[in-house]
Structure formats: C-alpha cells, structure tokens
Amino acid sequence: MENFDWTSFTKKIAVKAKISDIYNAWTKAEELEKWFLEKVSFFDSNQELISKDQNVSEGNTYEWLWYLYDDAMKGKITAANGKDQLQFTFEGTCLVDVKLSESNGYTIVELRHHNIPTDDSSKQYIRLGCSNGWHFYLINLKSVYEGGLDLRNKDENLNPMINN
C-alpha cells in the first residue's frame, strides 16, 4: 500500500452513443437526472436557476441530490468547453475531470477524480467510496444511453445497495 495513490483515480468506459449526447449527459440537469442524480439544480453567476435543458458553463454552481440521501452536494463547474471536456468540484476541494473522445463508434468517457485529501476519512469515503460510486454510475450511464435501462435503486426499503 505504500505506493497506492490516495490522491486520485481514473475510470474509463466506452459508450455506444454520440459524443454530443454524452456531453449533454454531464452538462444538462435533465440528462444528469436520467442516470446519476435524483434532482439537479444549476445556477448562473447571479444564483439564478438555469433551465434543466440548458448546458452548464464555467463558473456555474450546482446543488445535487441523490436518491435515498438527504444531504445535497454543492459545488462549482470550473471548466466546460461545450464539446468534450468538463471539470467540477466534488466533495469539497476535490476535482473531477470528464474527457470525452471518439473511437470505433464509441464515446470514450474518461473520468479523473483528483485533489483528494489524505486524511483517513478522505481516504475511506472519498478515495475508496467515490471510486466505487463512479464505477457504478459510469456503468449506469452506459446502460441508460445504450438501452434505456436505469440501474439505480430508488426503493428506500432496500438501502444501502451497490446501486445507490
């Protein structure tokens, strides 16, 4: 474990969908709610709510709610190029970079979660916990955009599960 990187991790998945559709999946509230979150709110620099069908821009902020969890996560979009790259804060000062590319009819989604603190709590809940969480949600992204099946558990009587 001495060479284990506690400060970052990367996940990649190939999705049989257009790159523009996958970019929208990450940058429009209505699309994020299809595969990732229960409720998404994005706000402009004046803290005005952005329409759910509008792409976010650099400097926008967010408030996200997951199914079966009461606490909202708040953060900021730190980069969004309108095509194939996005960066946002996550779990405080952590950063998540999403890079999209095309290969053989697939959109390759590469997610890098970095700037993770190295205290024991962050190691457990952010480095290990978020790694597992992103693994599931990237699979759900693929499932929703390739076949329409949402794999998330939304039943409060079945909590906790690996799919929430």
Side-chain angles (χ1 to χ4, degrees):
M1 291 296 266
E2 70 183 62
N3 293 324
F4 188 82
D5 185 358
W6 291 103
T7 65
S8 71
F9 61 87
T10 301
K11 304 279 184 188
K12 289 172 81 171
I13 194 164
V15 182
K16 191 80 166 175
K18 295 187 309 185
I19 198 167
S20 59
D21 290 342
I22 300 304
Y23 186 81
N24 289 338
W26 286 93
T27 61
K28 289 184 177 184
E30 67 183 6
E31 296 299 314
L32 277 162
E33 290 172 353
K34 289 180 182 177
W35 66 275
F36 186 36
L37 299 151
E38 179 180 11
K39 184 174 182 204
V40 175
S41 299
F42 286 114
F43 304 93
D44 66 18
S45 59
N46 296 318
Q47 292 305 302
E48 296 290 326
L49 188 65
I50 295 170
S51 172
K52 286 193 176 280
D53 64 354
Q54 182 180 333
N55 291 94
V56 296
S57 301
E58 182 178 330
N60 293 158
T61 57
Y62 67 79
E63 185 172 297
W64 291 347
L65 285 165
W66 279 264
Y67 282 98
L68 309 180
Y69 293 94
D70 296 328
D71 297 328
M73 180 180 293
K74 296 181 180 186
K76 184 175 184 175
I77 306 302
T78 54
N81 73 357
K83 179 184 168 193
D84 59 7
Q85 292 186 357
L86 174 73
Q87 184 185 71
F88 52 92
T89 62
F90 196 81
E91 290 289 349
T93 60
C94 297
L95 294 170
V96 173
D97 297 335
V98 177
K99 293 181 183 178
L100 308 176
S101 59
E102 294 175 300
S103 180
N104 298 321
Y106 289 89
T107 295
I108 308 302
V109 179
E110 181 176 335
L111 179 143
R112 181 172 177 250
H113 191 143
H114 57 107
N115 203 36
I116 301 170
T118 55
D119 60 278
D120 286 344
S121 179
S122 296
K123 286 178 178 180
Q124 179 179 357
Y125 295 106
I126 300 176
R127 174 57 180 89
L128 299 177
C130 289
S131 178
N132 287 336
W134 284 122
H135 186 100
F136 167 72
Y137 284 109
L138 289 174
I139 289 171
N140 200 45
L141 171 73
K142 180 178 180 74
S143 181
V144 167
Y145 281 86
E146 287 187 3
L149 182 61
D150 183 356
L151 304 172
R152 293 176 290 177
N153 172 41
K154 300 173 185 177
D155 186 336
E156 64 188 30
N157 295 313
L158 300 173
N159 189 28
M161 297 283 169
I162 63 170
N163 57 337
N164 66 312

